[in-house]
Amino acid sequence: MSSRRKNEDKMQSRGQIFNAIHRFIELVARGIFLFIAFLKGPAESQPPIKNLILLHSATTLALKIRNKQLTSKEVVQSYIDRIMEIQPVLNCIVEDRFEEALKEAEKYDELLKSPNAPSVEVLAKEKPFFGVPFTTKDCIGITNMRQTAGLVVRKNTVAESDAEVIKLMRAAGAIPLATTNVSELAMWWETSNCLYGTTKNPYNTRHIVGGSSGGEGCIQAAAGSPLGIGSDIGGSIRMPCFFNGIFGHKPSTGTVSNDGQYPSAQSDDQDRLLAIGPMCRYAQDLLPTMKVIAKKDKLDVLRLDEPIDITKLKFYYMEDDGGQFLTSPVEPEIKESMMKVVSFLEKAHKIKATKLNIKKLKKSITLWMANMSCKDEKDFAYELSNREGHITLWWEFVKWMLFMSNHTLIALFTATFERFTVKHGSEEYSRLIQESRDLYREFQDILGEDGVFLYPTHPTAAPLHHEPLIKPFNFSYTGIINVLGLPSTACPLGLNKEGVPIGLQVVGGLHQDRVTIAVAEELERGFGGWVPPTTVA
């Protein structure tokens, strides 16, 4: 046996031991978190959805407004009323612009009544979301609204202009309604910060909503907004969609402008990972939103109007990442839901999905961290200072223990851990970037323009609050797709035995966004899509 093979076997053996220890810690910690949740009392109940306007898709609302079956003011007021109901329970929004939104809605309604009103056809083409409200996360700038990114020192920071995606949504007739909660500086997958607190899952308030677009995932699932805009650098759209049972799309790299997102990317690698995209309850809203927010010079390559024949697609899947170190095993119910999709494709469309074993996916976390590595010492400690120097980590830990810190514990851990990761520009960094490119080419060779890869969005359903602290690397299932720059659509597949959502992500070849969205629409038809949250006793 060669020395290289022996070393690989030793690494494998050590990895299995580490995973066994980590699994034991997970089980013990979950028991502790369950006990803490029990001491806090039963999960809180949210009001049921009574207003039927809240059950329409954004595109249906736009159609009804254009045809004068509903007024924009009626729709906006309905969502304001719903937010007022759910906010005390879920804590999903951080700032509203209700008065301004109602005034804008009135102007739209007056325009439709005027003799010079545009025709229904013109509105459908030029302003597809005419009079429809929408929300976005507190990282994406809206003029004259706070843009804190969950950082206490930014509590009074106000955006001077709209982010590019907000400009495009406004131009399409949509009305900004509120901004939603995020994790501190959008760098963790539980939405909680020292400025606005913790957002709770609408299916069970003991569980998390994901992050960083967690407030957006929550408000969509609870029918507090018909359409949302999120951003995703390691799964920040797809994880909240998965945990909250809604649809979301991370676009192909570079197809939607990141201008106006804070924190902005600090390197070309980070900018390539970052993507802004739609979050919604109904799959039919994904494509129209992408048509609005995609860069104009990318529309030809995206071919969003080109129809997709599901039966002509090639499907591939993996049930897990092959056993990555320190990552939770994929829960049986999530694997079962994926196999139900595979069975559905075969029965409904005579499509035989092919099971893959892409070994490089076991290095997902390492590859993501290499691509996220900072240069010029602009690390997370620099970001936590609001880009004004660096926070002193040991002192912030002391302050945290004395309940005096303005930072979350996980933010301090993240800044500390980053100091031990691969350094930008190092030999190891160059090797990992090359491995990332090799993996991209492997995926492109497999998927091409007609291939689809089904992959878990996350190994577990929504954890309990604070539970991500002992399973920090579980975001690897989404993070690796950011490294590849490929489009990925999060699709809900119902609820598990505990009554919280599960699903999967649909990954396509570069610029094949319309393909993954078409598959999402088909899975919605086959599995029902969003399930309205019920009150929890």
Side-chain angles (χ1 to χ4, degrees):
M1 184 182 291
S2 68
S3 59
R4 181 179 178 181
R5 179 62 183 274
K6 288 180 180 179
N7 288 334
E8 288 178 352
D9 288 345
K10 286 182 182 179
M11 289 291 292
Q12 185 70 21
S13 178
R14 289 174 184 171
Q16 290 173 348
I17 294 172
F18 286 144
N19 279 345
I21 294 171
H22 181 247
R23 184 59 178 157
F24 175 74
I25 293 172
E26 277 190 335
L27 292 172
V28 172
R30 183 168 180 82
I32 294 171
F33 287 126
L34 279 169
F35 181 68
I36 293 172
F38 173 77
L39 291 179
K40 289 182 177 180
E44 299 173 77
S45 298
Q46 62 171 310
I49 302 168
K50 296 179 180 178
N51 187 338
L52 295 181
I53 289 177
L54 304 176
L55 296 177
H56 291 306
S57 67
T59 48
T60 298
L61 288 174
L63 175 66
K64 288 182 174 291
I65 291 170
R66 289 195 299 268
N67 290 326
K68 301 180 183 179
Q69 295 169 299
L70 288 172
T71 66
S72 176
K73 187 177 181 180
E74 281 180 292
V75 174
V76 170
Q77 187 63 60
S78 295
Y79 277 100
I80 291 173
D81 293 343
R82 179 60 178 169
I83 290 173
M84 298 296 285
E85 288 181 333
I86 63 175
Q87 176 65 8
V89 178
L90 303 178
N91 188 36
C92 49
I93 74 162
V94 298
E95 187 177 10
D96 70 73
R97 57 186 306 276
F98 293 162
E99 291 185 15
E100 298 93 332
L102 285 170
K103 291 177 182 177
E104 290 170 20
E106 288 177 354
K107 289 181 179 179
Y108 280 142
D109 291 334
E110 290 171 5
L111 176 61
L112 284 181
K113 295 175 184 177
S114 70
N116 298 321
S119 68
V120 171
E121 293 77 17
V122 168
L123 284 177
K125 182 179 180 181
E126 298 182 0
K127 294 187 178 294
F129 291 113
F130 184 86
V132 176
F134 76 102
T135 47
T136 191
K137 66 190 293 188
D138 177 33
C139 287
I140 298 175
I142 299 179
T143 304
N144 296 327
M145 293 190 73
R146 285 189 289 273
Q147 188 180 16
T148 73
L151 195 62
V152 171
V153 72
R154 290 180 59 87
K155 63 183 179 182
N156 295 319
T157 300
V158 174
E160 296 180 357
S161 60
D162 286 338
E164 182 62 24
V165 287
I166 303 301
K167 291 178 184 176
L168 294 171
M169 289 296 292
R170 285 188 192 264
I175 301 172
L177 187 60
T179 52
T180 50
N181 203 17
V182 298
S183 55
E184 187 172 6
L185 278 177
M187 279 298 290
W188 184 235
W189 53 278
E190 176 171 10
T191 291
S192 183
N193 58 66
C194 296
L195 189 56
Y196 298 116
T198 301
T199 301
K200 301 174 183 178
N201 194 296
Y203 293 87
N204 188 324
T205 56
R206 291 172 171 170
H207 293 254
I208 73 170
V209 294
S212 60
S213 309
E216 197 56 49
C218 173
I219 198 171
Q220 295 298 322
S225 170
L227 181 63
I229 302 295
S231 59
D232 189 316
I233 201 168
S236 293
I237 287 174
R238 288 158 292 153
M239 282 188 291
C241 287
F242 174 78
F243 293 147
N244 293 279
I246 63 170
F247 292 90
H249 183 70
K250 182 204 82 67
S252 293
T253 184
T255 56
V256 177
S257 173
N258 293 328
D259 291 348
Q261 148 85 25
Y262 188 88
S264 56
Q266 291 281 18
S267 68
D268 291 340
D269 288 337
Q270 288 183 6
D271 191 60
R272 189 171 52 81
L273 264 62
L274 180 61
I276 293 177
M279 302 171 68
C280 49
R281 281 171 285 151
Y282 302 102
Q284 72 178 117
D285 290 330
L286 294 172
L287 199 63
T289 308
M290 278 299 296
K291 290 180 183 179
V292 169
I293 66 176
K295 295 177 181 176
K296 301 309 176 189
D297 62 349
K298 294 294 184 179
L299 291 176
D300 287 342
V301 70
L302 288 172
R303 297 176 288 165
L304 296 175
D305 287 318
E306 187 174 297
I308 298 296
D309 184 347
I310 296 292
T311 63
K312 300 292 177 61
L313 299 178
K314 299 172 184 176
F315 283 80
Y316 306 91
Y317 71 97
M318 282 180 64
E319 297 176 273
D320 55 40
D321 60 12
Q324 186 171 192
F325 296 161
L326 303 180
T327 302
S328 301
V330 176
E331 290 179 344
E333 283 185 280
I334 294 174
K335 288 187 176 183
E336 288 170 12
S337 68
M338 178 174 288
M339 296 317 297
K340 286 179 182 178
V341 171
V342 170
S343 177
F344 166 75
L345 292 170
E346 187 167 5
K347 290 179 180 178
H349 299 293
K350 296 182 173 56
I351 297 171
K352 183 71 173 177
T354 302
K355 188 173 184 179
L356 299 178
N357 181 19
I358 301 175
K359 294 183 179 180
K360 287 188 180 70
L361 289 177
K362 291 177 69 172
K363 298 186 68 173
S364 294
I365 283 294
T366 304
L367 296 178
W368 184 85
M369 287 181 175
N371 282 268
M372 278 292 293
S373 63
C374 64
K375 59 181 180 179
D376 302 326
E377 297 185 357
K378 293 180 178 179
D379 57 9
F380 199 55
Y382 169 77
E383 294 288 2
L384 289 171
S385 74
N386 197 30
R387 299 181 171 179
E388 295 179 0
H390 291 74
I391 64 167
T392 305
L393 284 170
W394 68 267
W395 178 236
E396 286 299 332
F397 275 113
V398 171
K399 288 167 64 178
W400 186 87
M401 288 186 286
L402 297 173
F403 304 99
M404 296 171 60
S405 178
N406 286 329
H407 302 292
T408 58
L409 180 62
I410 191 59
L412 301 180
F413 277 145
T414 300
T416 303
F417 177 76
E418 187 179 25
R419 297 190 172 184
F420 299 95
T421 58
V422 62
K423 301 303 179 185
H424 192 281
S426 67
E427 185 176 332
E428 184 182 7
Y429 164 82
S430 299
R431 179 178 58 80
L432 292 172
I433 294 298
Q434 184 58 51
E435 286 190 36
S436 301
R437 292 168 181 164
D438 292 343
L439 182 57
Y440 165 75
R441 281 192 289 269
E442 184 175 354
F443 263 91
Q444 277 297 97
D445 288 343
I446 293 169
L447 299 179
E449 293 191 355
D450 60 356
V452 171
F453 179 58
L454 307 177
Y455 196 50
T457 314
H458 202 79
T460 74
L464 298 164
H465 289 292
H466 311 301
E467 196 177 351
L469 284 167
I470 48 93
K471 47 183 72 172
F473 302 126
N474 280 4
F475 75 94
S476 62
Y477 281 85
T478 49
I480 191 60
I481 309 304
N482 294 79
V483 171
L484 301 175
L486 301 178
S488 178
T489 306
C491 304
L493 295 172
L495 310 180
N496 68 4
K497 292 176 183 178
E498 294 183 349
V500 292
I502 54 177
L504 53 72
Q505 58 178 324
V506 180
V507 182
L510 186 65
H511 298 141
Q512 307 310 311
D513 298 59
R514 71 193 186 287
V515 174
T516 66
I517 291 173
V519 173
E521 292 173 348
E522 182 62 23
L523 294 185
E524 182 180 39
R525 287 188 285 269
F527 293 87
W530 170 70
V531 178
T534 55
T535 54
V536 179

